Amino acid sequence: MIDSVLPPEVAAVSVFGDLSPADGHGLFPAEAATIARSVPQRRAEFTTVRLCARRALDKLGVDPVPLVPGKRGAVEWPAGVTGSMTHCTGFRAAAVARSGGVASLGIDAEPNLPLPDGILEVVSLPRERAGVAALARQRPDVHWDRLLFSAKESVFKTWYPLTHRELDFTEAELEFDPGAGTFSARLLVSGPEVAGHARDTFSGRWTVGRGFVLTAIVLPG
């Protein structure tokens, strides 16, 4: 499922469920320490998504390293690699690429269910809410409010490693193409500089299936 929204130069692994027991098996000591006090569900998702990341790194020929979350959950990837991880109930995934060809990337998965009441108003702009309502009439099989939320998460995951700055949900305006399975994000604040050029837009892809929505952004180096 995840491969459908990523280009060939990105290595990805996804699973529906968990790969290992929730007791921390398969983790580096520094990773295990991070979740030592967590509930079993949190330990399971944390472990599985890191095992996905190690399998993805192996596709690039990169040895496994501890992937300890830092500020805003961002991890430090091995030298020469950029990546992103996501997990929600029933789905875990990781994607990595050589940083020479990909400056940054972000992936996010969410259940294909409506957002809780009041959340859409917090995470969206008026024009986006109007777009979501119109798209819902065209494609009622997709919960567009949740897809918008997922895409904004992918925007942030792409943005943060380049800037190490916060980005509010309302500081990027998104537009979806329902036929092409793509979306664009226009940054409403100064964008990051990539390869000597300021980037004020990100382009991404989305898909829906098996009860999930999935979004991805891959920013060329």
Side-chain angles (χ1 to χ4, degrees):
M1 182 176 176
I2 193 171
D3 290 330
S4 67
V5 294
L6 293 170
E9 62 267 26
V10 177
V13 173
S14 62
V15 295
F16 295 90
D18 288 312
L19 288 173
S20 65
D23 61 3
H25 175 71
L27 296 179
F28 284 92
E31 294 170 328
T34 300
I35 55 166
R37 298 178 181 271
S38 300
V39 299
Q41 180 181 345
R42 169 60 177 156
R43 293 202 301 269
E45 66 187 18
F46 183 98
T47 299
T48 297
V49 78
R50 277 155 179 77
L51 294 179
C52 287
R54 291 198 241 290
R55 292 183 179 185
L57 288 168
D58 185 63
K59 291 183 178 183
L60 296 183
V62 176
D63 292 335
V65 298
L67 299 172
V68 179
K71 186 178 179 182
R72 296 293 274 123
V75 304
E76 184 175 345
W77 294 94
V81 172
T82 186
S84 181
M85 298 185 288
T86 185
H87 54 77
C88 64
T89 301
F91 184 82
R92 291 76 161 93
V96 295
R98 295 286 184 182
S99 54
V102 174
S104 187
L105 65 91
I107 62 171
D108 188 75
E110 302 287 338
N112 186 22
L113 297 170
L115 284 174
D117 290 344
I119 298 299
L120 180 61
E121 289 72 20
V122 173
V123 303
S124 65
L125 299 163
R127 186 166 175 263
E128 292 173 325
R129 291 194 288 276
V132 162
L135 289 167
R137 292 189 289 270
Q138 296 179 41
R139 286 279 307 273
D141 59 308
V142 179
H143 289 284
W144 292 94
D145 56 345
R146 184 75 72 159
L147 184 62
L148 176 66
F149 177 84
S150 176
K152 291 212 170 188
E153 285 289 299
S154 286
V155 169
F156 180 80
K157 291 177 181 180
T158 305
W159 157 278
Y160 190 79
L162 296 172
T163 65
H164 300 288
R165 302 198 311 268
E166 298 294 325
L167 182 72
D168 191 80
F169 282 109
T170 57
E171 291 181 327
E173 186 175 60
L174 274 62
E175 186 172 357
F176 292 89
D177 185 327
T182 61
F183 66 91
S184 62
R186 181 171 65 91
L187 299 174
L188 305 180
V189 293
S190 297
E193 186 172 295
V194 178
H197 300 282
R199 295 295 300 262
D200 58 4
T201 60
F202 293 167
S203 297
R205 299 192 62 83
W206 64 270
T207 190
V208 58
R210 296 185 64 169
F212 301 96
V213 295
L214 182 63
T215 59
I217 295 171
V218 179
L219 194 64

